Amino acid sequence: MLAGGQSLMPLLAFRLARPTLLVDLNRLGAELGGVEAEPGGALRIGALARQRAVERSGALSVLGEALALVGHPAIRNRGTVVGSVCHADPAAEVCAVALALDGSLELRSIRGRREVAVDELLTGPFSTAIEPDELAVALRLRPPAGWRWRVLEVARRAGDFALAGVVAGVDPAGGDARLAVFGAAPRPYRLDGPPAGLAERAAAAARPSGDLHGGVAYRRHLVGVVARRALAALGTDAA
Amino acid sequence: MREVRLSVNGRPVTARVEPRTTLADFIRERALLTGTHLGCEHGVCGACTVLLDGVAVRSCLLLAVQAEGAEVTTVEALAGDAGLHPLQDALHRHHGLQCGFCTSGILMSLAELWPRRDQVSRDEIIDCLGGHLCRCTGYVGIVRAAEDAFGLPAGDRG
Ligand SMILES: Cc1cc2nc3c(=O)[nH]c(=O)nc-3n(C[C@H](O)[C@H](O)[C@H](O)COP(=O)(O)OP(=O)(O)OC[C@H]3O[C@@H](n4cnc5c(N)ncnc54)[C@H](O)[C@@H]3O)c2cc1C
Ligand code: FES
Ligand code: FES
């Protein structure tokens, strides 16, 4: 399945993926390109909604903030929000936003339609519970009313994948918070609870893999740093 | 093999290509326009950036068959009878290029912003240039050229 091609085309170029059949979705923009606010406060993002269009639409500020950190403008001009979730990169900002906002993916096949929570969907690095015959038609995000959010990451250069990053949210009263951590484990993970101590829990839960961009201890340390900074920026006394 | 028809810089181009042919290879080998450069062929360097219906895209990450019916604009379209495009002229004046390998991609990314040049901020220019690797200039001249062309004051980061 070829959506924006900003992950799949590099995989093909490296011969890391060798599909015998490639289905291009891009002529389905009219059917799959929409972004709609649904009754009940959910936002439904169609499979061909481009990252850049969603970022600029202002439909959801936390998602816009996250998308601004994804690659570069020319990448986001083609890349889709849904494609990022299907690709399941452990460092993907969009997957973490989807996890933080109780996201779910709407999947269709000739067998029917099903909705899978992003938390169940992401089974590991670059792997999901999407069956080979299924097409993701939309991502549904459920932002809780009144919450404020921050997205923070540390990357080697602007546009690079994060060494560690966090989507942090706090409820209107400031007593409840959420963290979705990306780039620090085989898949993004989420922690809920009072802001105090949450950043430390996030760092303790990190399972980063070390590579030439940063070792395990450094990346674990970064999780605590970005989590504390994000919570502090939201006005909590997490530090 | 599939027949692909598209328009490059206003000129119709039709060619029979394998479905796996990238738009970049189509532009260089079928439209015979070699101003579009290929560096990494996986989306990172930005050298192959062109406009697809006015939108900046990596031509190495698109298949030619996907561009069927589209209008593709490459660096060759920028200079006209009146001489260099203002973006090219600014890069020239500010020493924003040395070998020129990265230049056509940079120009096309900036060209996407050109139609709304009055509203373009410095942050947007930096975000745009951040998608391009230049191994020669150290970027200072490129940033200055873009600031100048878009009528922005020179920023303190050079
Ligand atoms: C230079 C560069 C920098 C990047 N930086 C970042 C970054 O910082 N952060 C980040 O998160 N990403 C980054 N990316 C990846 C980018 O965000 C991709 O757009 C995204 O990961 C995949 O979306 P896509 O629409 O391009 O999907 P594609 O590349 O088309 O597809 C990716 C995978 O998802 C599957 N798929 C896509 N859509 C569907 C669907 N509707 N149903 C079923 N399966 C589907 C495909 O089959 C494929 O396996 C970068 C890419 C490049 C080239
Ligand atoms: S050649 Fe396309 S981005 Fe490098
Ligand atoms: S001028 Fe040589 S790579 Fe930029």
Side-chain angles (χ1 to χ4, degrees), chain B residues 96-103 106 133-137 142:
Chain B
L97 66 151
Q98 288 178 31
C99 79
F101 195 88
C102 66
T103 312
I106 288 175
L133 297 182
C134 174
R135 301 289 78 180
C136 301
T137 64
I142 300 172

Side-chain angles (χ1 to χ4, degrees), chain A residues 75, chain B residues 24 37-49 57-61 101 131-133:
Chain A
I75 304 299
Chain B
H37 295 162
L38 279 167
C40 66
E41 296 190 71
H42 64 273
V44 173
C45 75
C48 68
T49 306
V57 299
R58 303 288 203 236
S59 62
C60 71
L61 298 186
F101 195 88
H132 293 271
L133 297 182

Side-chain angles (χ1 to χ4, degrees), chain A residues 2 5-6 9-10 13-15 24 26-27 56 72-78, chain B residues 20 41-43 52 55-58 61-63 66 68 112 116 127 130-131:
Chain A
L2 183 59
Q6 304 301 295
M9 289 293 290
F14 281 114
R15 308 300 191 263
D24 181 18
N26 284 280
R27 302 273 157 176
R56 284 189 179 160
H72 314 288
I75 304 299
R76 306 198 289 275
N77 275 339
R78 289 296 294 178
Chain B
R20 63 186 212 126
E41 296 190 71
H42 64 273
L52 182 76
V55 175
V57 299
R58 303 288 203 236
L61 298 186
L62 265 169
L63 298 171
Q66 292 183 288
E68 170 84 40
E112 182 191 31
R116 52 179 185 87
D127 192 24

Side-chain angles (χ1 to χ4, degrees), chain A residues 17-97:
Chain A
R18 294 165 169 271
T20 47
L21 182 68
L22 194 58
V23 179
D24 181 18
L25 304 177
N26 284 280
R27 302 273 157 176
L28 296 174
E31 292 83 357
L32 297 179
V35 177
E36 309 146 43
E38 295 185 320
L43 186 72
R44 184 181 187 275
I45 301 167
L48 274 183
R50 308 283 172 191
Q51 292 160 358
R52 192 100 170 112
V54 175
E55 175 192 355
R56 284 189 179 160
S57 71
L60 187 60
S61 63
V62 54
L63 183 56
E65 204 182 324
L67 286 171
L69 299 170
V70 175
H72 314 288
I75 304 299
R76 306 198 289 275
N77 275 339
R78 289 296 294 178
T80 65
V81 171
V82 168
S84 183
V85 176
C86 295
H87 187 57
D89 191 309
E93 292 83 354
V94 175
C95 292
V97 171

